[in-house]
Amino acid sequence: MTDPSALTRRAMLGAAMAVSVTGATAYGLHRWRLIPQDHDARRIDPAQAHSESAAGDIHLIDIRRPDEWQRTGIAASAIPIDMRRDDFIAALDRATGGDRSAPIALICAAGVRSARMTAQLSKAGFTGITDIPEGMSGSAAGPGWLKRDLPVIPWTQDTQ
C-alpha cells in the first residue's frame, strides 16, 4: 500500500518543478525581448556622440522615460523626448526643424530602445539616424555614458 503523504510530496515536487521550468522559460523569453533590433544605421559610442552633439553636428535625443531622466539626469546637450509620447514623431520633427535628413543620435538606457526606434524612424523616412548602443547605463556594447563620466545635466519638467 502506498503512503498517502508520499503522493502529496511527489505532487508538490512535480508542481514545483513545473513552476520552475515555466519561470525559466518566461525569463528566457523576457531576456530574448531585450535583444536590440538589428538595423543598418550608423552606431557610435557615447564619447563620439558627446563630441558631435557639442559641436552641433548631431541632434542628441534621449528617448528614455521621465523617471529615468530624473534618476540619472540627461546627457549634456541632449533633447529629452519620451519615445512613448503619442506625438513623438511631431516632437522629433520640431527638434530638427522638420528636416528628416538631419543627423539624429538616439540614446536610451542600454541600447535596446534606441535600436528599435532607429529601425522604426528609418521606416518612417528619417535618413540621418545614428544609434548609441551603449546607452546611458552601459550594455554589451560598452560602459555607457555615465560610466565614461561624460557630462549630464539634471532633468526637470522645464528641461523638456
Side-chain angles (χ1 to χ4, degrees):
M1 183 164 190
T2 307
D3 179 5
S5 62
L7 288 177
T8 303
R9 283 192 302 263
R10 208 172 280 136
M12 288 176 54
L13 180 60
M17 288 177 63
V19 168
S20 176
V21 169
T22 302
T25 301
Y27 175 76
L29 290 175
H30 173 71
R31 296 281 300 159
W32 178 82
R33 285 194 309 261
L34 294 179
I35 296 170
Q37 182 173 348
D38 196 22
H39 57 77
D40 294 330
R42 175 178 176 238
R43 292 172 176 87
I44 59 175
D45 67 40
Q48 187 175 354
H50 172 59
S51 174
E52 290 184 24
S53 178
D57 295 336
I58 60 170
H59 299 277
L60 179 57
I61 309 295
D62 188 331
I63 63 171
R64 297 176 300 150
R65 300 182 315 266
D67 64 297
E68 294 174 289
W69 300 329
Q70 184 74 41
R71 263 194 315 276
T72 66
I74 60 172
S77 74
I79 302 166
I81 306 176
D82 183 346
M83 68 178 271
R84 301 169 308 153
R85 287 175 51 167
D86 290 337
D87 67 338
F88 178 80
I89 297 287
L92 190 55
D93 277 334
R94 283 191 298 278
T96 62
D99 181 2
R100 293 201 172 181
S101 66
I104 298 168
L106 301 178
I107 191 165
C108 64
V112 175
R113 289 173 284 180
S114 63
R116 289 187 177 145
M117 187 56 69
T118 294
Q120 289 176 5
L121 289 174
S122 293
K123 289 177 186 172
F126 288 84
T127 58
I129 303 295
T130 296
D131 183 20
I132 305 168
E134 291 181 32
M136 290 294 286
S137 302
S139 69
W145 190 283
L146 298 171
K147 288 182 184 153
R148 287 177 181 266
D149 237 1
L150 295 168
V152 295
I153 58 171
W155 177 81
T156 65
Q157 287 286 54
D158 298 330
T159 310
Q160 193 167 12

